[in-house]
Amino acid sequence: MSTLASVRRSIFPQEQDTWVSIAAREFPDQEQDNVVSQLQSWNMHVFMRPTGSGSQILPSDVIFLEAPLAQ
């Protein structure tokens, strides 16, 4: 049985979180537009979700805070 050597940094979002609110909270010293773009590219499973009239980000989603780790 293999084990994970390292795990990508991630969070569960707070209710009513947006890409902007996550970027501001998790990366306060970085340029917000760049961070939002990075978050969206690291979280295509959420970013590409059809939203209808609801929120795109759900409290049960796993939001990755870093790029996929190299093996």
Side-chain angles (χ1 to χ4, degrees):
M1 178 177 181
S2 64
T3 60
L4 294 175
S6 57
V7 178
R8 283 171 76 183
R9 205 164 57 102
S10 64
I11 61 164
F12 287 107
Q14 298 173 9
E15 193 170 333
Q16 303 302 319
D17 252 342
T18 64
W19 297 113
V20 172
S21 66
I22 293 170
R25 182 175 61 248
E26 300 295 329
F27 302 93
D29 298 330
Q30 295 185 32
E31 201 279 312
Q32 188 171 330
D33 289 338
N34 289 340
V35 172
V36 168
S37 292
Q38 286 181 318
L39 285 170
Q40 290 170 342
S41 72
W42 299 333
N43 293 283
M44 295 300 281
H45 61 287
V46 176
F47 179 62
M48 297 302 292
R49 176 187 293 150
T51 61
S53 61
S55 173
Q56 183 177 26
I57 300 172
L58 304 173
S60 59
D61 288 327
V62 173
I63 302 297
F64 293 108
L65 301 178
E66 59 186 356
L69 303 173
Q71 290 195 19

